[in-house]
Amino acid sequence: MGKLDGRVVLITGAARGQGEQEARLFAAEGAGVVLADVLDERGAAVAEEVGGRYVHLDVSREADWAAALTAATEAFGRLDGLVNNAGILRFNELARTPLEEYEEVVRVNQTGAFLGMRTVVPALEAAGGGTIVNTASYAALSGMTLLTSYAATKAAVVGMTRVAALELAPKGIRVNAMCPGAIDTPMTNPAEAGPSESLDAFYAKLVPLGRIGRPEEVARLALFLTSEDSSYITGQPFVIDGGWLAGVQVV
């Protein structure tokens, strides 16, 4: 038996990185998986591999969310969970960040998470309850230079998670957030060739566990928060960062 047998979960940003690993793991654990992304060819290929359903979804567009929910219920008859994984990252100094760039990050990371939660609540309630897992960040809890827009949106995700958890608890819907540190995904490593030697050396010094994280490790946390293993947990940010947030090492 799988941890998600009989459940249907929608995962955004599922064509690659953390979202892809979440889709693969959830499918292996028995879930009906709806993979959503803007990378249509890649997302459809992953969906075919895992036996899921792919749907095009720009998370900043309300109409796309409505269509994704319709696709999920048409394919599987219900929806039991959402993993708000889609996100973008932009590095820039505060004083040099154009308003357009800041607003772009807000639309995807913050508005996208809001629209996702708002869209799926009626379906989760109709299913008798469910789970929402939002993807925040280490940067939501600790300052980091060059990440004004990203950190602001991820802090907003943590705040929305807490409020949603309070409002939705009576409906049997649990809402939690993951706060990954440095994870080896195409977003943090666009070359997709694995971390460079300099990046390896950087994280070896910075992170107590001595390495960058792997997307499958974040997927396992998402599984925990979606499964009954976390049945008494809601409204919480879960840090998964190799010990980075714990403090400064003196060597």
Side-chain angles (χ1 to χ4, degrees):
M1 290 182 59
K3 290 180 179 291
L4 299 179
D5 284 348
R7 300 197 64 202
V8 180
V9 183
L10 171 62
I11 302 172
T12 68
R16 61 183 187 174
Q18 291 173 190
E20 177 185 350
Q21 294 305 316
E22 288 158 358
R24 292 185 183 280
L25 179 59
F26 282 31
E29 289 290 343
V33 181
V34 181
L35 298 85
D37 211 305
V38 294
L39 302 174
D40 295 332
E41 184 175 346
R42 190 163 181 164
V46 176
E48 184 175 0
E49 288 181 30
V50 304
R53 169 74 179 268
Y54 175 76
V55 60
H56 178 91
L57 172 59
D58 176 344
V59 296
S60 69
R61 294 176 55 85
E62 192 170 7
D64 278 18
W65 271 107
L69 178 59
T70 297
T73 54
E74 286 181 350
F76 295 103
R78 58 185 289 148
L79 186 70
D80 302 284
L82 168 68
V83 179
N84 263 324
N85 168 74
I88 58 174
L89 175 66
R90 300 289 184 267
F91 292 97
N92 217 334
E93 295 179 18
L94 168 63
R96 296 178 182 273
T97 300
L99 177 59
E100 294 79 9
E101 179 179 292
Y102 183 89
E103 290 177 335
E104 176 192 25
V105 178
V106 169
R107 282 195 302 272
V108 176
N109 294 359
Q110 181 175 336
T111 304
F114 158 73
L115 287 174
M117 289 192 291
R118 194 186 69 177
T119 299
V120 304
V121 164
L124 300 186
E125 187 176 7
T131 56
I132 297 173
V133 178
N134 293 321
T135 305
S137 171
Y138 165 99
L141 307 173
S142 178
M144 187 180 300
T145 57
L146 306 180
L147 289 184
T148 298
S149 56
Y150 184 79
T153 60
K154 294 305 186 178
V157 168
V158 171
M160 288 192 295
T161 296
R162 291 184 172 125
V163 175
L166 293 172
E167 292 183 358
L168 300 178
K171 302 178 186 296
I173 301 170
R174 298 188 294 107
V175 189
N176 291 290
M178 303 186 295
C179 297
I183 307 297
D184 186 16
T185 69
M187 187 174 76
T188 57
N189 180 31
E192 299 188 57
S196 67
E197 291 184 6
S198 61
L199 209 57
D200 275 337
F202 175 74
Y203 288 114
K205 292 181 180 180
L206 190 66
V207 176
L209 290 185
R211 62 174 175 83
I212 195 169
R214 299 186 294 269
E216 57 267 29
E217 292 174 310
V218 180
R220 289 196 290 269
L221 176 58
L223 173 63
F224 169 72
L225 294 174
T226 302
S227 74
E228 284 300 302
D229 289 344
S230 59
S231 57
Y232 197 56
I233 299 173
T234 195
Q236 302 305 312
F238 283 77
V239 178
I240 175 168
D241 70 346
W244 195 356
L245 192 63
V248 176
Q249 296 188 90
V250 179
V251 294

